[in-house]
Amino acid sequence: MDTTKRSAKSVIAALAKDWMSVVGIILLLIVFTILSQVKFGEQYFLTWSNFKNILLQTSAIAIVAIGQSILLLGGNFDLSLGRMLCLTSCVGATLMKAENPMPLGIIIILMFVIGLCVGSINGIMVAVIGVPAMIATLGTQYICYGLAKLITQAVPIPKMPSQIAWLGRGYIFGQIPVCAVIMVVLYAIAQFITTKTKVGRNIYAVGGSKEAAFFSGINVKKYHFGTFILGSILSTFGGLVLMSRLNSVAVTNGQNYEFDGVISSIIGGVSLAGGKGRVIGTMFGALFLNILFNGFSQMGIDPFVQDVLKGIVLVLAVTLDVIGNVKKS
Amino acid sequence: MADYILELKNISKVFPGVKALDDVSVSIERGTIHGLVGENGAGKSTLIKILAGIYQPSEGRIFMNGKEEHFATPIEARHTGIAVVHQEIKLAEPLTVAENMFLGNVLTDASGLVDWKGMRRRAQEIVNDLGMDIDVNAQVSSLTVAKKQIVEIMHAINANSQVLVMDEPSAVLTDRELEVMFRIVRQLREKGITIIYISHRLDEVFDLCNNVTVLRDGQMIDTLPIEAVNREKLINLMVGREMGQEYPKEKVEIGDTILKVEGLCGGMLKDISFEVKHGEIFGISGLVGAGRTELARAILGIDRIEKGTIEVRGRKVRYHNFRQAIKDGLGLIPEDRKLQGLVQIMTVEKNTTLVALDKVIRSGVINKKLEAEAAQDYVNKLHTMTPSIDTQVQFLSGGNQQKVVISKWLFQNSEILFLDEPTRGIDVGAKAEIYRLMTDMVKTGKTVVMISSEMPELLGMCDRIMVMHEGHKMGELSRDEATQEKIMAMCV
């Protein structure tokens, strides 16, 4: 009897932890809806148009965060994701705005090639040679950012080709943002692969214990390398979505996306220690962050204060994670 | 009446949901070495932690020299004269021996600055006193494990230490290193320090102790003078049932050569040749660092081979990585169960299928039902004690964790299994179950290569034993001719 009670309790605790971000989102919705009503006497927060806004703002970040959370599951992380996005976007935009531009398709392929190059460099350094991910990807972060500034001379490039407008500004049935649909589909695929396939299981194993995975015949280097490659692909794609939504490219595109990806992952229940958590949680983590800041903006809170709050949310999420782990052991 | 330095009276310790100690009374005679034995979970560690001031007893009283004491903190216990050497060595590796000996207890001179000279001198005195050959200015990281252990002991004891508690100090030591430590322990006893000695290795208890207390399931079963028990009786007291045979060796038909190694060189390995026959349990003995694990790694494609040939089932092979060896029917149960054997944060189920995941994959997707069936099947077959297959392996005991590692390779259906120290840190009852599994493996057509530092289990389980020393093969003994002395003579 004792054990059934305990397991029921632990099931509830596990559910609460698994869905912490969703519970958080619901709480935020309730709080901001009430605040909006109280402050303005009218509902500005809980409206479809505001929610569309939130979805638009979340999509690109959330797409990059898929890569980051899979990297985290595999026991790594990539600090260059944001600036890699910036570099590929800047190269892409520059080529698109050239006097006799190449076909758009070729340019987009080139963007992915550059992203893959950066991803491979990260992968070779970390997975093959064994440079700490922290240092390796911090290095490539600077290289990407520097190159992006060199190429654009830090001048923003406006007006992206109309052929890619649908990606970031298109709507399905005139109501649902295309990029939000893409985000949900990508998360569904990522969630399926990480939980239902051999590749996913092995990523968890490698992240849970590199050594034990190796001694189970898993090619640890291949999996580590693969996650860096995946991160670079998703980051480049996130860049395309972002340049389409903003209809411009600047060297600030993708700034801090790598960290936002980490924060979203942690809020979504992915462990920094690797091998634990669910990719789908990261989407809710990213939504949570954006709903929070959307609400704050509506309440008229200074945007500079928002960075402080982001820090507090991150520290709180990690602290809760650590406390949870300590209790268990 | 005997002279007791330490008396524990009716000690109970209750944790939420568990009674770790139940009305335990033990009296320790002054100037003796007192063994404390029991299976994992018997309450030894809890008792030690109460003595060390880490836990407070829920009930019961502690008397030292006839006076009642309460150890609210480890520091109080230490000041009262109880020194504890914990299981794992916890030294500051980059610091010197002298610095480590005074860690947390630094000597200062008149001006309040660290008295380096005084500390080094005092450290050297203590070392000389014990007749040890340790340079107090050497970095701890440069010492052997045995010497580190001794530094740890010297750190634990101080001027007013009366009782020294040693929690499995031998777990990481080889037989020869053990001798040195035994000498130190006996010397400490001569100096009037009473020692409480906890160990899984019963031979040591018989070698060293004057009295022995057996704990089982949180209860004190018996305290006896060592002359009053033999090995078998002690095991029965610990396990609480007739153990039957400790080494369930059965006759299995020995077949043709399945693994043949010739002139193998690479890394520290020098010209190693041997053959293993189908159905054998082939033992590899030697001191730690003799190259036993390295040999397994070289054969399995983990480390590079410079020269030599390997034949599996009569076919020449050279594996370039471990995965190729696995595909060819070889497997390894690694030395470090915690780190290398299992993904601790994964469940029993997922660890079981980690090597042979393909077997539960249907059209590219992991089939939950097949996976659960497979895992449950091995839990049942191997009698793995786990609340469910969804329990993370980190919550299982050492013996049960090892069973999950074995499940992994049984599910893969590997034909030739290398077992590297398969019973290290596992208690007596669970050890016997691991031996039983090894017997089952060879009975079902598998071949086992067993690397071990524990000679009794090699002698008890193996058909043949190869002895290694510093990368060389020193010889090979059949089951009939092998004795502890013969192996030891080849080891050094």
mmCIF file of all heavy atoms in Angstrom, chain B residues 279-310:
data_model
loop_
_atom_site.group_PDB
_atom_site.id
_atom_site.type_symbol
_atom_site.label_atom_id
_atom_site.label_comp_id
_atom_site.label_asym_id
_atom_site.label_seq_id
_atom_site.Cartn_x
_atom_site.Cartn_y
_atom_site.Cartn_z
ATOM 1 N N GLY B 279 32.371 -23.105 -24.393
ATOM 2 C CA GLY B 279 31.803 -23.656 -23.162
ATOM 3 C C GLY B 279 32.671 -23.471 -21.933
ATOM 4 O O GLY B 279 32.265 -23.830 -20.831
ATOM 5 N N GLU B 280 33.837 -22.876 -22.113
ATOM 6 C CA GLU B 280 34.729 -22.675 -20.974
ATOM 7 C C GLU B 280 34.412 -21.389 -20.226
ATOM 8 O O GLU B 280 33.863 -20.441 -20.797
ATOM 9 C CB GLU B 280 36.172 -22.552 -21.481
ATOM 10 C CG GLU B 280 36.947 -23.842 -21.475
ATOM 11 C CD GLU B 280 38.422 -23.582 -21.767
ATOM 12 O OE1 GLU B 280 38.752 -22.677 -22.565
ATOM 13 O OE2 GLU B 280 39.236 -24.291 -21.193
ATOM 14 N N ILE B 281 34.794 -21.385 -18.951
ATOM 15 C CA ILE B 281 34.963 -20.116 -18.252
ATOM 16 C C ILE B 281 36.462 -19.954 -18.101
ATOM 17 O O ILE B 281 37.119 -20.741 -17.415
ATOM 18 C CB ILE B 281 34.266 -20.086 -16.882
ATOM 19 C CG1 ILE B 281 32.750 -20.263 -17.049
ATOM 20 C CG2 ILE B 281 34.565 -18.774 -16.172
ATOM 21 C CD1 ILE B 281 31.972 -20.265 -15.744
ATOM 22 N N PHE B 282 37.005 -18.990 -18.830
ATOM 23 C CA PHE B 282 38.441 -18.804 -18.880
ATOM 24 C C PHE B 282 38.797 -17.607 -18.003
ATOM 25 O O PHE B 282 38.295 -16.512 -18.213
ATOM 26 C CB PHE B 282 38.870 -18.567 -20.332
ATOM 27 C CG PHE B 282 40.343 -18.438 -20.539
ATOM 28 C CD1 PHE B 282 41.142 -19.564 -20.665
ATOM 29 C CD2 PHE B 282 40.943 -17.188 -20.602
ATOM 30 C CE1 PHE B 282 42.512 -19.441 -20.855
ATOM 31 C CE2 PHE B 282 42.302 -17.055 -20.789
ATOM 32 C CZ PHE B 282 43.100 -18.192 -20.916
ATOM 33 N N GLY B 283 39.634 -17.818 -17.009
ATOM 34 C CA GLY B 283 39.964 -16.748 -16.084
ATOM 35 C C GLY B 283 41.237 -16.031 -16.455
ATOM 36 O O GLY B 283 42.165 -16.637 -16.990
ATOM 37 N N ILE B 284 41.270 -14.714 -16.208
ATOM 38 C CA ILE B 284 42.512 -13.964 -16.370
ATOM 39 C C ILE B 284 42.826 -13.316 -15.030
ATOM 40 O O ILE B 284 42.032 -12.526 -14.519
ATOM 41 C CB ILE B 284 42.411 -12.902 -17.473
ATOM 42 C CG1 ILE B 284 42.037 -13.558 -18.805
ATOM 43 C CG2 ILE B 284 43.727 -12.153 -17.605
ATOM 44 C CD1 ILE B 284 41.896 -12.588 -19.951
ATOM 45 N N SER B 285 43.958 -13.689 -14.464
ATOM 46 C CA SER B 285 44.334 -13.187 -13.150
ATOM 47 C C SER B 285 45.543 -12.279 -13.278
ATOM 48 O O SER B 285 46.243 -12.285 -14.289
ATOM 49 C CB SER B 285 44.651 -14.366 -12.224
ATOM 50 O OG SER B 285 45.003 -13.878 -10.957
ATOM 51 N N GLY B 286 45.793 -11.525 -12.223
ATOM 52 C CA GLY B 286 46.933 -10.618 -12.221
ATOM 53 C C GLY B 286 46.634 -9.438 -11.339
ATOM 54 O O GLY B 286 45.493 -9.239 -10.926
ATOM 55 N N LEU B 287 47.677 -8.676 -11.034
ATOM 56 C CA LEU B 287 47.470 -7.500 -10.205
ATOM 57 C C LEU B 287 46.811 -6.416 -11.043
ATOM 58 O O LEU B 287 46.831 -6.469 -12.266
ATOM 59 C CB LEU B 287 48.812 -6.997 -9.686
ATOM 60 C CG LEU B 287 49.649 -8.010 -8.902
ATOM 61 C CD1 LEU B 287 51.000 -7.414 -8.557
ATOM 62 C CD2 LEU B 287 48.917 -8.431 -7.637
ATOM 63 N N VAL B 288 46.259 -5.410 -10.368
ATOM 64 C CA VAL B 288 45.734 -4.259 -11.088
ATOM 65 C C VAL B 288 46.888 -3.641 -11.872
ATOM 66 O O VAL B 288 47.983 -3.478 -11.345
ATOM 67 C CB VAL B 288 45.138 -3.236 -10.097
ATOM 68 C CG1 VAL B 288 44.840 -1.929 -10.804
ATOM 69 C CG2 VAL B 288 43.881 -3.799 -9.461
ATOM 70 N N GLY B 289 46.664 -3.364 -13.146
ATOM 71 C CA GLY B 289 47.734 -2.808 -13.962
ATOM 72 C C GLY B 289 48.542 -3.870 -14.680
ATOM 73 O O GLY B 289 49.539 -3.561 -15.330
ATOM 74 N N ALA B 290 48.133 -5.121 -14.584
ATOM 75 C CA ALA B 290 48.868 -6.197 -15.249
ATOM 76 C C ALA B 290 48.563 -6.232 -16.746
ATOM 77 O O ALA B 290 49.243 -6.895 -17.508
ATOM 78 C CB ALA B 290 48.532 -7.541 -14.616
ATOM 79 N N GLY B 291 47.522 -5.517 -17.155
ATOM 80 C CA GLY B 291 47.180 -5.484 -18.575
ATOM 81 C C GLY B 291 45.999 -6.358 -18.939
ATOM 82 O O GLY B 291 45.758 -6.631 -20.111
ATOM 83 N N ARG B 292 45.226 -6.773 -17.930
ATOM 84 C CA ARG B 292 44.102 -7.672 -18.197
ATOM 85 C C ARG B 292 42.997 -6.970 -18.964
ATOM 86 O O ARG B 292 42.519 -7.457 -19.985
ATOM 87 C CB ARG B 292 43.559 -8.224 -16.870
ATOM 88 C CG ARG B 292 44.600 -8.987 -16.068
ATOM 89 C CD ARG B 292 44.135 -9.215 -14.661
ATOM 90 N NE ARG B 292 43.801 -7.942 -14.017
ATOM 91 C CZ ARG B 292 43.164 -7.843 -12.869
ATOM 92 N NH1 ARG B 292 42.774 -8.919 -12.234
ATOM 93 N NH2 ARG B 292 42.925 -6.657 -12.351
ATOM 94 N N THR B 293 42.578 -5.795 -18.447
ATOM 95 C CA THR B 293 41.533 -5.023 -19.132
ATOM 96 C C THR B 293 42.020 -4.604 -20.518
ATOM 97 O O THR B 293 41.264 -4.649 -21.494
ATOM 98 C CB THR B 293 41.177 -3.780 -18.294
ATOM 99 O OG1 THR B 293 40.759 -4.217 -17.008
ATOM 100 C CG2 THR B 293 40.071 -2.985 -18.937
ATOM 101 N N GLU B 294 43.300 -4.239 -20.599
ATOM 102 C CA GLU B 294 43.875 -3.808 -21.868
ATOM 103 C C GLU B 294 43.811 -4.932 -22.897
ATOM 104 O O GLU B 294 43.581 -4.693 -24.083
ATOM 105 C CB GLU B 294 45.328 -3.358 -21.673
ATOM 106 C CG GLU B 294 45.500 -2.037 -20.925
ATOM 107 C CD GLU B 294 45.303 -2.165 -19.421
ATOM 108 O OE1 GLU B 294 45.075 -3.301 -18.932
ATOM 109 O OE2 GLU B 294 45.380 -1.133 -18.724
ATOM 110 N N LEU B 295 44.024 -6.154 -22.429
ATOM 111 C CA LEU B 295 43.961 -7.308 -23.332
ATOM 112 C C LEU B 295 42.553 -7.459 -23.910
ATOM 113 O O LEU B 295 42.371 -7.628 -25.119
ATOM 114 C CB LEU B 295 44.372 -8.583 -22.576
ATOM 115 C CG LEU B 295 44.270 -9.888 -23.356
ATOM 116 C CD1 LEU B 295 45.186 -9.863 -24.565
ATOM 117 C CD2 LEU B 295 44.610 -11.077 -22.459
ATOM 118 N N ALA B 296 41.560 -7.357 -23.023
ATOM 119 C CA ALA B 296 40.177 -7.464 -23.488
ATOM 120 C C ALA B 296 39.874 -6.350 -24.487
ATOM 121 O O ALA B 296 39.281 -6.583 -25.547
ATOM 122 C CB ALA B 296 39.221 -7.397 -22.299
ATOM 123 N N ARG B 297 40.320 -5.137 -24.159
ATOM 124 C CA ARG B 297 40.053 -3.997 -25.042
ATOM 125 C C ARG B 297 40.701 -4.193 -26.408
ATOM 126 O O ARG B 297 40.113 -3.856 -27.437
ATOM 127 C CB ARG B 297 40.552 -2.703 -24.409
ATOM 128 C CG ARG B 297 39.715 -2.248 -23.208
ATOM 129 C CD ARG B 297 40.372 -1.059 -22.520
ATOM 130 N NE ARG B 297 40.437 0.087 -23.406
ATOM 131 C CZ ARG B 297 39.618 1.129 -23.325
ATOM 132 N NH1 ARG B 297 38.701 1.180 -22.387
ATOM 133 N NH2 ARG B 297 39.739 2.134 -24.164
ATOM 134 N N ALA B 298 41.919 -4.720 -26.417
ATOM 135 C CA ALA B 298 42.626 -4.923 -27.687
ATOM 136 C C ALA B 298 41.888 -5.952 -28.541
ATOM 137 O O ALA B 298 41.667 -5.750 -29.738
ATOM 138 C CB ALA B 298 44.060 -5.370 -27.421
ATOM 139 N N ILE B 299 41.484 -7.046 -27.919
ATOM 140 C CA ILE B 299 40.789 -8.089 -28.676
ATOM 141 C C ILE B 299 39.483 -7.554 -29.242
ATOM 142 O O ILE B 299 39.097 -7.839 -30.371
ATOM 143 C CB ILE B 299 40.518 -9.315 -27.773
ATOM 144 C CG1 ILE B 299 41.844 -9.970 -27.371
ATOM 145 C CG2 ILE B 299 39.617 -10.330 -28.489
ATOM 146 C CD1 ILE B 299 41.703 -11.045 -26.308
ATOM 147 N N LEU B 300 38.784 -6.727 -28.443
ATOM 148 C CA LEU B 300 37.459 -6.247 -28.821
ATOM 149 C C LEU B 300 37.495 -5.035 -29.755
ATOM 150 O O LEU B 300 36.457 -4.444 -30.050
ATOM 151 C CB LEU B 300 36.653 -5.912 -27.564
ATOM 152 C CG LEU B 300 36.302 -7.122 -26.692
ATOM 153 C CD1 LEU B 300 35.817 -6.688 -25.331
ATOM 154 C CD2 LEU B 300 35.257 -7.989 -27.382
ATOM 155 N N GLY B 301 38.691 -4.657 -30.185
ATOM 156 C CA GLY B 301 38.768 -3.563 -31.160
ATOM 157 C C GLY B 301 38.695 -2.175 -30.549
ATOM 158 O O GLY B 301 38.558 -1.188 -31.260
ATOM 159 N N ILE B 302 38.773 -2.094 -29.224
ATOM 160 C CA ILE B 302 38.693 -0.781 -28.582
ATOM 161 C C ILE B 302 40.060 -0.097 -28.627
ATOM 162 O O ILE B 302 40.168 1.087 -28.914
ATOM 163 C CB ILE B 302 38.188 -0.915 -27.131
ATOM 164 C CG1 ILE B 302 36.769 -1.492 -27.124
ATOM 165 C CG2 ILE B 302 38.216 0.434 -26.423
ATOM 166 C CD1 ILE B 302 36.266 -1.914 -25.756
ATOM 167 N N ASP B 303 41.123 -0.862 -28.356
ATOM 168 C CA ASP B 303 42.478 -0.314 -28.440
ATOM 169 C C ASP B 303 43.203 -0.908 -29.650
ATOM 170 O O ASP B 303 42.857 -1.984 -30.127
ATOM 171 C CB ASP B 303 43.269 -0.640 -27.159
ATOM 172 C CG ASP B 303 42.722 0.105 -25.959
ATOM 173 O OD1 ASP B 303 42.027 1.117 -26.165
ATOM 174 O OD2 ASP B 303 42.980 -0.338 -24.831
ATOM 175 N N ARG B 304 44.226 -0.208 -30.091
ATOM 176 C CA ARG B 304 44.949 -0.633 -31.283
ATOM 177 C C ARG B 304 45.848 -1.839 -31.014
ATOM 178 O O ARG B 304 46.436 -1.974 -29.951
ATOM 179 C CB ARG B 304 45.814 0.512 -31.802
ATOM 180 C CG ARG B 304 45.226 1.216 -33.019
ATOM 181 C CD ARG B 304 46.095 2.410 -33.367
ATOM 182 N NE ARG B 304 47.516 2.037 -33.391
ATOM 183 C CZ ARG B 304 48.125 1.561 -34.474
ATOM 184 N NH1 ARG B 304 47.455 1.397 -35.588
ATOM 185 N NH2 ARG B 304 49.415 1.260 -34.434
ATOM 186 N N ILE B 305 45.950 -2.680 -32.010
ATOM 187 C CA ILE B 305 46.852 -3.829 -31.928
ATOM 188 C C ILE B 305 48.026 -3.554 -32.855
ATOM 189 O O ILE B 305 47.833 -3.088 -33.979
ATOM 190 C CB ILE B 305 46.120 -5.111 -32.386
ATOM 191 C CG1 ILE B 305 45.006 -5.446 -31.409
ATOM 192 C CG2 ILE B 305 47.094 -6.270 -32.512
ATOM 193 C CD1 ILE B 305 44.143 -6.593 -31.872
ATOM 194 N N GLU B 306 49.241 -3.814 -32.360
ATOM 195 C CA GLU B 306 50.402 -3.592 -33.217
ATOM 196 C C GLU B 306 50.764 -4.855 -33.987
ATOM 197 O O GLU B 306 51.156 -4.800 -35.143
ATOM 198 C CB GLU B 306 51.602 -3.135 -32.376
ATOM 199 C CG GLU B 306 51.493 -1.668 -31.963
ATOM 200 C CD GLU B 306 52.270 -1.378 -30.696
ATOM 201 O OE1 GLU B 306 53.188 -2.151 -30.381
ATOM 202 O OE2 GLU B 306 51.931 -0.394 -30.018
ATOM 203 N N LYS B 307 50.650 -5.984 -33.314
ATOM 204 C CA LYS B 307 51.095 -7.234 -33.926
ATOM 205 C C LYS B 307 50.263 -8.379 -33.375
ATOM 206 O O LYS B 307 49.687 -8.261 -32.304
ATOM 207 C CB LYS B 307 52.572 -7.464 -33.576
ATOM 208 C CG LYS B 307 53.468 -7.666 -34.787
ATOM 209 C CD LYS B 307 54.950 -7.629 -34.419
ATOM 210 C CE LYS B 307 55.371 -8.614 -33.366
ATOM 211 N NZ LYS B 307 56.726 -8.365 -32.866
ATOM 212 N N GLY B 308 50.251 -9.459 -34.086
ATOM 213 C CA GLY B 308 49.566 -10.632 -33.564
ATOM 214 C C GLY B 308 48.288 -10.935 -34.301
ATOM 215 O O GLY B 308 47.786 -10.121 -35.071
ATOM 216 N N THR B 309 47.765 -12.130 -34.082
ATOM 217 C CA THR B 309 46.537 -12.515 -34.765
ATOM 218 C C THR B 309 45.473 -12.939 -33.758
ATOM 219 O O THR B 309 45.776 -13.415 -32.670
ATOM 220 C CB THR B 309 46.772 -13.703 -35.723
ATOM 221 O OG1 THR B 309 47.295 -14.786 -34.954
ATOM 222 C CG2 THR B 309 47.726 -13.348 -36.827
ATOM 223 N N ILE B 310 44.230 -12.733 -34.160
ATOM 224 C CA ILE B 310 43.091 -13.170 -33.359
ATOM 225 C C ILE B 310 42.204 -14.010 -34.271
ATOM 226 O O ILE B 310 41.906 -13.606 -35.399
ATOM 227 C CB ILE B 310 42.291 -11.961 -32.835
ATOM 228 C CG1 ILE B 310 43.183 -11.068 -31.974
ATOM 229 C CG2 ILE B 310 41.070 -12.416 -32.047
ATOM 230 C CD1 ILE B 310 42.574 -9.719 -31.676
#
